[in-house]
Amino acid sequence: MLRGALTRRGNRHLMIALTIALGAGVATSMLSVMFNVGDKVNQELKSYGANIVVRAQGAAVLSDLYSTGEASESHAYLREDELGNIKTIFWTYNILDFAPLLNVSATDASGAPVATTGTWFSHHLELATGESIDTGLDKLRGWWGVTGAWPTDEDATGAIVGATYAAERDLNVGDSFTLTRAGISREFTVRGVVTTGDDADRGVYIQLPAAQELIEREGVVSSVEVSALTTPDNDLARKAAKNPNSLSVSEKETWYCTAYVSSIAYQIEEVMTDSVARPVRQVAQSEGTVLEKTQLLMVLVTVLALIASALAIANLVTAGVMERSSEIGLMKAVGAKDKQIIALFLAETIVVGLVGGVIGYGAGLGLAQAIGYMVFGSAIAFAPVVVGLVAVLVIIVVLGASIPAIRYLLRLNAAEVLHGR
């Protein structure tokens, strides 16, 4: 009887299968993207700068007390030879890029003060582990609009100047300028002009060794900006950020082994002498907010798509039961029980639903990849859990949509139906 029912009513079953396929396709694509969106959003936000800043302890205290929002020369420094330790922490693979900064109070040829910063533009670093990395400001601030080119490691006199400063001094790519501090003068060549819309437009960036020469301090940096992939904060992360020592042993293990921005900052402090690593809270909080809202939107789209599918399926199944009233009445007349008839109709609908679910799952995977490339520029990773979730959701939708048809079936009276009433 089941085989006959499946083969005789192909058009109606096709409509049910396509309806389920649409709902399952939307659910598959949204759930697949949702399970990947955390890393995707983090990667997108990391392209706009650092989310952790490391300073020397003394400089961090002074910055908290007297911060003016502008970089100033510090007298407390971090060790340049320890910068590679950042890539040796537990979450080494979550550290995307980092760049040291050394603030220098210098003047130009006219005697006017210039906000000067020494840094790595593009630096090759050999690690104690035997690995090597390439990092620097060109990767950390890749969103900067640079006219010209970033200086290379070998370009000792190369510099990047802010657009405002360049306009005021009539500097263009290839021009030279001089910086002086405490009687020490060095000549630099403009390799690029940067437009950022912030304080960097009024400053000058030079190679880190050149900045160290100007302040006559070798192997020092003022701060380090770090870009890391992180997990959005929760109550545990917020508690740890206030005081890691307040955590229980199990809480600290969980926190330390989860890529919270506070736990990564804590581990950086462990490998750098007299350092204070602090999250850039605006960035960290934005990650969590954007991620939560994105995931909520995807859940809502999934739920609405499944509700729409359930309503359409309910109409189709109920209409099918009404068309087969005579068949149902005859089955009742020859002794079939209600639960047997219900089981037959449910089995029929579930089989059709699973076929539609498989089709929808395949289409949903394709849609997820299209979303991944269009929105994030990369593929969406396969999440095995989505298979089980979609299967469960399809069965729930089919069973829920069958309730009106079952109620109609139970109300059918065999004698009335067979007499054409």
Side-chain angles (χ1 to χ4, degrees):
M1 292 179 69
L2 178 60
R3 183 170 60 250
L6 290 171
T7 55
R8 286 196 305 271
R9 293 173 177 81
N11 291 338
R12 187 171 297 278
H13 289 154
L14 178 61
M15 290 297 297
I16 294 174
L18 289 177
T19 303
I20 294 174
L22 288 173
V26 173
T28 300
S29 60
M30 291 296 102
L31 292 174
S32 296
V33 173
M34 188 181 75
F35 283 110
N36 283 263
V37 74
D39 290 343
K40 300 295 184 185
V41 169
N42 277 328
Q43 288 171 349
E44 288 294 318
L45 291 176
K46 295 306 170 292
S47 65
Y48 295 100
N51 56 348
I52 298 174
V53 176
V54 189
R55 296 187 182 92
Q57 287 183 352
V61 172
L62 291 174
S63 176
D64 290 343
L65 292 175
Y66 306 109
S67 176
T68 61
E70 296 183 0
S72 58
E73 187 171 317
S74 171
H75 298 288
Y77 300 102
L78 298 169
R79 292 168 50 182
E80 182 185 0
D81 61 359
E82 290 185 340
L83 294 180
N85 295 347
I86 294 174
K87 285 291 289 182
T88 64
I89 65 172
F90 180 82
W91 290 106
T92 178
Y93 294 110
N94 284 57
I95 303 296
L96 301 180
D97 298 295
F98 62 90
L101 302 175
L102 178 59
N103 301 319
V104 178
S105 298
T107 58
D108 59 17
S110 66
V114 184
T116 305
T117 304
T119 187
W120 290 342
F121 292 112
S122 179
H123 187 70
H124 182 79
L125 185 65
E126 296 291 338
L127 304 178
T129 59
E131 298 176 299
S132 62
I133 60 169
D134 292 293
T135 188
L137 209 65
D138 63 339
K139 296 179 179 61
L140 191 68
R141 300 187 182 176
W143 53 272
W144 274 8
V146 176
T147 302
W150 291 94
T152 63
D153 251 2
E154 295 75 22
D155 187 4
T157 62
I160 294 287
V161 300
T164 302
Y165 179 82
E168 292 173 350
R169 306 301 194 277
D170 194 25
L171 291 173
N172 297 299
V173 175
D175 292 345
S176 297
F177 64 97
T178 302
L179 293 178
T180 303
R181 183 191 179 279
I184 300 175
S185 296
R186 293 289 184 272
E187 187 176 271
F188 299 93
T189 303
V190 179
R191 301 299 182 197
V193 177
V194 63
T195 303
T196 66
D198 56 26
D199 292 337
D201 286 351
R202 298 190 295 273
V204 171
Y205 287 80
I206 60 177
Q207 296 281 12
L208 182 60
Q212 292 169 346
E213 288 180 14
L214 287 174
I215 65 171
E216 299 181 281
R217 294 287 301 271
E218 291 186 7
V220 299
V221 299
S222 303
S223 61
V224 186
E225 293 189 357
V226 181
S227 176
L229 284 175
T230 60
T231 298
D233 283 356
N234 57 12
D235 291 338
L236 175 61
R238 286 186 280 271
K239 180 180 177 181
K242 293 178 181 178
N243 182 13
N245 295 325
S246 66
L247 302 178
S248 66
V249 175
S250 61
E251 285 178 332
K252 189 166 186 178
E253 288 179 354
T254 301
W255 169 70
Y256 195 90
C257 296
T258 305
Y260 298 121
V261 66
S262 56
S263 66
I264 293 177
Y266 180 83
Q267 292 172 38
I268 291 174
E269 290 179 357
E270 291 181 319
V271 298
M272 297 193 69
T273 305
D274 297 330
S275 64
V276 176
R278 291 182 178 164
V280 179
R281 279 295 162 192
Q282 295 88 338
V283 176
Q285 290 171 357
S286 295
E287 291 172 6
T289 302
V290 171
L291 182 57
E292 288 174 2
K293 290 184 177 180
T294 303
Q295 290 177 329
L296 177 60
L297 175 62
M298 291 178 178
V299 170
L300 288 175
V301 171
T302 301
V303 171
L304 291 175
L306 293 175
I307 289 175
S309 295
L311 292 174
I313 294 166
N315 288 331
L316 289 169
V317 174
T318 302
V321 171
M322 293 175 68
E323 288 179 0
R324 298 166 65 184
S325 298
S326 299
E327 179 184 340
I328 296 170
L330 182 59
M331 284 192 288
K332 286 188 175 186
V334 297
K337 297 180 180 179
D338 286 339
K339 63 181 181 180
Q340 293 174 317
I341 301 173
I342 291 172
L344 175 63
F345 275 85
L346 285 180
E348 179 183 333
T349 308
I350 289 174
V351 169
V352 175
L354 290 176
V355 171
V358 171
I359 296 171
Y361 178 77
L365 289 179
L367 179 59
Q369 297 305 318
I371 293 173
Y373 281 106
M374 286 189 294
V375 178
F376 302 109
S378 59
I380 299 296
F382 172 72
V385 68
V386 174
V387 180
L389 283 175
V390 171
V392 170
L393 290 173
V394 167
I395 292 174
I396 291 174
V397 167
V398 169
L399 293 178
S402 300
I403 292 175
I406 292 172
R407 294 179 61 187
Y408 177 83
L409 185 152
L410 291 174
R411 289 198 303 267
L412 281 177
N413 184 285
E416 293 180 353
V417 171
L418 294 176
H419 280 84
R421 298 178 188 176

